[in-house]
Amino acid sequence: MAQAPCFDLVFFGGTGDLALRKLLPALYYRHRDTKDCSGWRIIAVSRQPMETAAYLELVHEAFQRFIPAKDFDEAGWQRFSTRIEYMSLDGLNPDDYGLLSHTLADSADRVRVFYLSTAASLFAAICENLAKAGLVTDLSRVVLEKPLGFSLESATAINEAVGRIFREPQIFRIDHYLGKETVQNLIALRFGNSIFEPLWHRASIRDVQITLAETVGVGDRGEYYDHYGALRDMVQNHALQLLCIMAMEPPSSIDPDEIRDEKLKVLRALRPFTPEDVRNKIVRGQYRAGAIDGKAVPGYLDETGIPEGSTTETFVSMRVDVDNWRWARVPFYIRTGKRMQERMSEIVINFRAVPHAILPGNDAGAVNRLVIRLQPDEGIELHVLAKVPGADMRVKPVKLDLDFAETFKTRQWDAYERLLMDVISGNLTLFMRRDELDAAWQWVDPIHAAWAAGSDAPKTYSSGTWGPTASSALIVRDGLSWKEET
């Protein structure tokens, strides 16, 4: 078992969905599997008046829903609960920080993490109030949840406000996709194995497809989602970060800034979209009524909190070009959406076909393919051609499948487990630097500007499908197809 350093972790938004569904369960697992947790202190804060005992009942009930029964241990919960206290605090009211300041007064020499699981519009005020209360020390860190801003302008304002209180190495801009075990394995696959590097460029790779698909709709997040849409909610952060890891040059070391420097180069090499490119290379869609798992579901415009006639996109697919030597003329396709046919996040790398097909079965353009599955089952598949048993020399596609759950019998860490421990240890590798965020917004903003200037509404698609038919047409124009259509 590992041993964690002493720390104080303060959750703003402690009664929110993220804290109850992801953050506190992640800490429960780490507490359960850590040898000495005597130096842990978790303080949940929100505006809701509540005693710590009542808050612990709320957390306990959430654990019954979000932690599998096989993983939950009542004795372990009792031990973990002793690390938690609750505090009623209005993040916008400087006078409310007195109790928090008193509680932390004797721990200035400990790692102090402020996790802002709130609306981004509150980040600046909370940080300013923390500073006024004397709570920001050299060992303090602040975690900012996405989406960080609504555009480059708003993100800049937030970063400048937070940056006046915290130094850049103290700011952890979190993207939970980067904490997934498979994303770590993408880095290991690329830079830990000599067999892939000679193939990882335009001469061997035909195209790359990144799919982040959800079967759920907007649920009770309609008001929030209608303000942001799929491009801001998924592409600007999750999808672009995966593209960066896939496309970046080998860093000289695994030092956080070495890796982030290489990701930044990819972001700056992304070909900007002109208004014409937005029309021809991007498909935006909005789900209508349909069926998921045999059950009828409403369309986006019928969801709670969605204004009549909303043109917010729930689906985006696009062709992206990386203008550098390694990836020249290799199309990267990004696709993300809600109410799709299958819950699935994956990166598909299609290699070029053999230059001259001599084997029966290989004359239909079959290609080798590397599939990196992020969810729901994390793993890696390598698709190759193998001989069919029998007298004839005929080949057919087969796959070599590495299922992480089967190969590694130990329980895999959840993304937030890894990221929270990285924050506490000060490891910035999996967190976005400010210049990365700026570059991503600079690339995304012109797309929204083109949509706002145009009159075209999103193309509708039935819930339970793979999105608008125009998404298939987008990739077919290049003589290719999405993986499930192959």
Side-chain angles (χ1 to χ4, degrees), residues 15-280:
T15 58
D17 178 70
L18 181 64
L20 296 175
R21 180 168 51 91
K22 289 292 186 180
L23 302 178
L24 287 167
L27 287 170
Y28 165 82
Y29 279 113
R30 298 307 340 124
H31 185 274
R32 185 194 68 178
D33 297 340
T34 300
K35 182 178 180 180
D36 181 6
C37 301
S38 58
W40 292 30
R41 181 161 57 175
I42 301 164
I43 302 172
V45 303
S46 81
R47 289 180 297 178
Q48 186 174 347
M50 191 186 309
E51 297 295 329
T52 293
Y55 181 72
L56 291 177
E57 289 181 11
L58 180 69
V59 176
H60 185 267
E61 189 275 332
F63 280 17
Q64 306 305 305
R65 290 183 286 132
F66 300 127
I67 295 178
K70 64 182 178 60
D71 290 339
F72 184 77
D73 173 66
E74 192 64 37
W77 155 251
Q78 292 298 330
R79 291 191 296 272
F80 177 63
S81 67
T82 64
R83 310 294 174 201
I84 303 173
E85 57 186 292
Y86 178 81
M87 195 173 295
S88 178
L89 182 153
D90 182 348
L92 298 180
N93 185 355
D95 296 336
D96 274 12
Y97 285 74
L99 180 57
L100 181 61
S101 181
H102 175 75
T103 301
L104 298 178
D106 62 345
S107 60
D109 59 340
R110 291 158 55 96
V111 170
R112 186 176 291 177
V113 177
F114 301 105
Y115 197 117
L116 308 192
S117 178
T118 67
S121 58
L122 304 181
F123 290 173
I126 292 174
C127 290
E128 289 168 3
N129 287 332
L130 288 171
K132 289 177 183 177
L135 290 166
V136 181
T137 68
D138 289 341
L139 292 177
S140 293
R141 287 135 200 188
V142 63
V143 183
L144 308 180
E145 266 289 343
K146 79 154 189 89
L148 194 61
F150 186 75
S151 62
L152 176 61
E153 181 181 10
S154 60
T156 298
I158 293 171
N159 278 315
E160 288 183 351
V162 174
R164 286 193 289 269
I165 309 301
F166 294 90
R167 294 175 289 106
E168 181 64 27
Q170 294 178 292
I171 302 173
F172 291 73
R173 301 172 186 87
I174 198 165
D175 183 339
H176 72 272
Y177 264 73
L178 298 186
K180 291 181 177 294
E181 195 70 38
T182 328
V183 176
Q184 314 303 303
N185 267 289
L186 175 57
I187 296 174
L189 190 77
R190 284 203 58 193
F191 306 128
N193 298 281
S194 61
I195 61 173
F196 289 108
E197 178 56 28
L199 307 176
W200 214 265
H201 54 70
R202 65 187 183 280
S204 299
I205 294 178
R206 186 190 69 184
D207 67 277
V208 178
Q209 302 174 14
I210 298 173
T211 296
L212 308 176
E214 301 175 281
T215 55
V216 297
V218 296
D220 59 2
R221 299 170 66 239
E223 185 176 349
Y224 157 83
Y225 192 88
D226 198 68
H227 184 60
Y228 283 93
L231 185 66
R232 291 186 177 102
D233 190 49
M234 296 295 287
V235 176
Q236 181 269 337
N237 38 71
H238 300 330
L240 284 187
Q241 284 293 301
L242 294 178
L243 187 152
C244 286
I245 294 174
M246 162 62 205
M248 71 182 186
E249 295 295 320
S252 60
S253 72
I254 59 170
D255 176 81
D257 277 330
E258 293 286 348
I259 291 175
R260 297 193 295 180
D261 284 346
E262 297 303 334
K263 289 197 294 177
L264 179 62
K265 291 177 185 178
V266 176
L267 289 168
R268 289 176 172 170
L270 297 179
R271 184 181 302 172
F273 284 100
T274 66
E276 183 178 1
D277 288 333
V278 172
R279 289 191 296 271
N280 296 330

Side-chain angles (χ1 to χ4, degrees), residues 157-457:
I158 293 171
N159 278 315
E160 288 183 351
V162 174
R164 286 193 289 269
I165 309 301
F166 294 90
R167 294 175 289 106
E168 181 64 27
Q170 294 178 292
I171 302 173
F172 291 73
R173 301 172 186 87
I174 198 165
D175 183 339
H176 72 272
Y177 264 73
L178 298 186
K180 291 181 177 294
E181 195 70 38
T182 328
V183 176
Q184 314 303 303
N185 267 289
L186 175 57
I187 296 174
L189 190 77
R190 284 203 58 193
F191 306 128
N193 298 281
S194 61
I195 61 173
F196 289 108
E197 178 56 28
L199 307 176
W200 214 265
H201 54 70
R202 65 187 183 280
S204 299
I205 294 178
R206 186 190 69 184
D207 67 277
V208 178
Q209 302 174 14
I210 298 173
T211 296
L212 308 176
E214 301 175 281
T215 55
V216 297
V218 296
D220 59 2
R221 299 170 66 239
E223 185 176 349
Y224 157 83
Y225 192 88
D226 198 68
H227 184 60
Y228 283 93
L231 185 66
R232 291 186 177 102
D233 190 49
M234 296 295 287
V235 176
Q236 181 269 337
N237 38 71
H238 300 330
L240 284 187
Q241 284 293 301
L242 294 178
L243 187 152
C244 286
I245 294 174
M246 162 62 205
M248 71 182 186
E249 295 295 320
S252 60
S253 72
I254 59 170
D255 176 81
D257 277 330
E258 293 286 348
I259 291 175
R260 297 193 295 180
D261 284 346
E262 297 303 334
K263 289 197 294 177
L264 179 62
K265 291 177 185 178
V266 176
L267 289 168
R268 289 176 172 170
L270 297 179
R271 184 181 302 172
F273 284 100
T274 66
E276 183 178 1
D277 288 333
V278 172
R279 289 191 296 271
N280 296 330
K281 296 183 178 181
I282 301 179
V283 175
R284 63 171 174 156
Q286 187 183 92
Y287 65 82
R288 58 177 182 262
I292 301 289
D293 295 330
K295 297 180 180 178
V297 294
Y300 180 74
L301 296 178
D302 297 320
E303 299 276 20
T304 303
I306 305 302
E308 183 178 354
S310 171
T311 59
T312 295
E313 78 286 354
T314 63
F315 173 94
V316 176
S317 65
M318 58 175 64
R319 171 183 167 144
V320 179
D321 291 277
V322 181
D323 288 336
N324 61 23
W325 276 47
R326 182 181 288 265
W327 299 113
R329 295 180 296 281
V330 175
F332 286 71
Y333 300 97
I334 292 174
R335 176 178 57 167
T336 184
K338 289 188 174 296
R339 290 288 191 218
M340 296 183 71
Q341 183 171 319
E342 183 181 337
R343 176 177 175 261
M344 176 258 287
S345 295
E346 66 180 18
I347 302 170
V348 177
I349 300 153
N350 290 313
F351 293 90
R352 297 191 184 278
V354 294
H356 177 55
I358 62 172
L359 299 174
N362 194 21
D363 52 5
V367 297
N368 298 133
R369 171 180 290 161
L370 182 64
V371 180
I372 300 160
R373 302 191 309 269
L374 304 176
Q375 65 179 27
D377 302 313
E378 298 184 339
I380 296 173
E381 298 174 4
L382 180 61
H383 295 243
V384 298
L385 293 174
K387 180 184 176 298
V388 178
D392 295 336
M393 188 59 179
R394 176 174 293 276
V395 295
K396 67 174 290 186
V398 297
K399 68 179 180 181
L400 309 176
D401 193 348
L402 169 61
D403 185 309
F404 290 164
E406 289 296 322
T407 303
F408 304 107
K409 298 301 183 182
T410 56
R411 177 188 164 273
Q412 294 182 49
W413 286 25
D414 175 78
Y416 277 105
E417 289 179 62
R418 177 181 304 281
L419 294 172
L420 284 168
M421 292 300 104
D422 279 354
V423 173
I424 292 164
S425 64
N427 183 357
L428 285 154
T429 303
L430 301 178
F431 300 85
M432 291 183 72
R433 204 166 56 193
R434 178 176 174 175
D435 49 7
E436 285 184 80
L437 183 68
D438 290 347
W441 278 120
Q442 286 168 357
W443 186 76
V444 164
D445 278 354
I447 301 173
H448 277 290
W451 285 346
S455 58
D456 293 340

